[in-house]
Amino acid sequence: MEFMDIIWYIVICFAFVAYLIMLWMIIGDLFRNREQSGWVKAIWIVFLFVFPWLTGLIYLVVHGTGMAERSAKEADRYKAAQDEYIRSVAGKSPAEHISDAKQLLAEGVIDQAEFDALKAKALA
């Protein structure tokens, strides 16, 4: 196998991977786009498999801005959900723990020694 054959093989592999990524991104955007009807989406998918590179480039030119906006909106939604999850499992701050312990002490549920232990634990 000659050196140029290896280079050509690398170029072909790169083009194939680029095609798969383009196909994945466009099909994902098609299903994310709520403004298009199902028939229009089906036509895009058929053309993507019949004339893949040409259809992919046309789709990117026609829907490129909307594709970026939908992708950013989706990323914002995922980030908000992740932040909410982290807040829900992160627990309370030391000040909140001490405040809760102070309230329990005021209600007489715990005594001063237990309050001091909870305060020390919260500050540790």
Side-chain angles (χ1 to χ4, degrees):
M1 186 176 246
E2 292 182 23
F3 179 72
M4 289 309 292
D5 291 338
I6 294 171
I7 297 296
W8 183 245
Y9 179 74
I10 291 171
V11 169
I12 294 297
C13 288
F14 176 79
F16 181 69
V17 169
Y19 164 71
L20 290 177
I21 291 172
M22 178 190 72
L23 195 64
W24 183 262
M25 296 292 287
I26 290 173
I27 291 174
D29 184 64
L30 277 170
F31 286 107
R32 213 177 301 129
N33 189 354
R34 301 198 188 284
E35 297 170 4
Q36 290 182 342
S37 70
W39 288 105
V40 173
K41 293 176 184 181
I43 291 169
W44 275 112
I45 288 177
V46 167
F47 275 101
L48 272 172
F49 287 107
V50 175
F51 304 109
W53 286 104
L54 180 64
T55 306
L57 291 175
I58 291 172
Y59 186 87
L60 291 176
V61 168
V62 173
H63 295 287
T65 304
M67 191 174 181
E69 291 169 358
R70 283 185 292 278
S71 180
K73 203 178 296 183
E74 187 80 12
D76 289 342
R77 195 169 78 224
Y78 280 133
K79 183 172 180 353
Q82 181 182 18
D83 290 345
E84 179 61 32
Y85 173 75
I86 290 171
R87 274 192 289 283
S88 71
V89 299
K92 297 180 179 179
S93 69
E96 290 173 321
H97 282 291
I98 294 171
S99 173
D100 291 343
K102 185 76 169 172
Q103 185 179 5
L104 291 173
L105 178 64
E107 293 172 358
V109 176
I110 61 174
D111 61 5
Q112 186 64 38
E114 291 173 322
F115 172 75
D116 292 337
L118 287 173
K119 183 177 175 182
K121 183 178 178 185
L123 293 175

